[in-house]
Amino acid sequence: MFHWDDGLKLTRADLAIDIRRRQPRAFLSHAHADHMARHEYALCTPETEALYHLRLGRRPTRRLPYRQPVDWGGLRLTTFPAGHCLGSAMLLAEDGRQSLLYTGDFKLAESVTAERAELVCADILIMESTFGRPTDRLPPRDEVIGHLVRLVRQTLADGAVPVVHAYVLGKGQEVTRLLTDQGIPVLQHRDVYAVSRAYETCGVSLGRYARFEGTAEPGWAVVVPPRARTASLSRAVHIAVTGWALDPSAKYRLRVDHALPLSDHADYNELIEAVERVDPRKVYCTHGPESFVDRLCELGFDAAPLGRPAQGRLF
Ligand SMILES: [Zn+2]
């Protein structure tokens, strides 16, 4: 059903999947930069379309809303929520004989700004496995969110400005909504703000937020992209929210005061759970350690790596 041509392609439909080079026809699982290019024609969910147009300009697309099968290029294609960021989708392709599920980036845990992931059964599963080491187990999400809110409140009480470092698309909006839900208004760096406007256009409310112009009134938190400078703020406490914070040394590497493991990727337990629920005959893993493939084989699955492992990529 698929082949590898310096990237994943659905053979019969000649459809490139999440390839970062311009293609005649491509499926975009979500609008992170490492999954997109200025394609001649792209298939994606309506929300990903809005974010794709925002980031790369208006281009021809075909919308694939969740759970609405379309016959395309000799295949039946259906998208399902992937729980990674707004519009993120898994793609189910069926050719009448067998089915293939491509997860893209996904997580199973709940999110306040993205629809929760929905797994369907398939014969072939192609999955991301970023957090594929047994030590890649995230603490309960509620615990991490509670820690974040406590840190932000404490910083405000001390008269300083909490500056949260989060990816421009996805995490930035998630953190904003988590804080505004607690009554903490948010100032956003211009890049985060532009994406947030698109989220709101798609019907996702983020609460009380505004564009950061270099200063912060007392009581406001600031959300900026990873490693952004905020020299204009005299007293700031920097907090990174990223799955990489599983590594205790992350805060030194990221040069922040605190690093919290809030991730938009499935952790090790969720990866295993995903395979069990999809119950495939064959599993192919991308973006993860080879040891995860070995682990799946030990658990009795027929698993193999796909393409080249690309470490250090996590958006
Ligand atoms: Zn992503």
Side-chain angles (χ1 to χ4, degrees), residues 45-64:
T45 61
E47 296 83 2
T48 295
E49 179 196 50
L51 295 163
Y52 174 56
H53 286 169
L54 171 75
R55 303 192 102 183
L56 298 181
R58 289 197 81 79
R59 314 198 60 80
T61 50
R62 162 113 190 219
R63 293 174 167 202
L64 299 179

Side-chain angles (χ1 to χ4, degrees), residues 64-83:
L64 299 179
Y66 294 139
R67 308 174 200 89
Q68 294 181 25
V70 296
D71 292 318
W72 199 86
L75 296 172
R76 172 158 287 203
L77 302 177
T78 316
T79 58
F80 294 92

Side-chain angles (χ1 to χ4, degrees), residues 74-97:
L75 296 172
R76 172 158 287 203
L77 302 177
T78 316
T79 58
F80 294 92
H84 175 64
C85 63
L86 181 66
S88 65
M90 303 196 189
L91 180 68
L92 180 70
E94 298 163 286
D95 68 0
R97 288 183 304 116

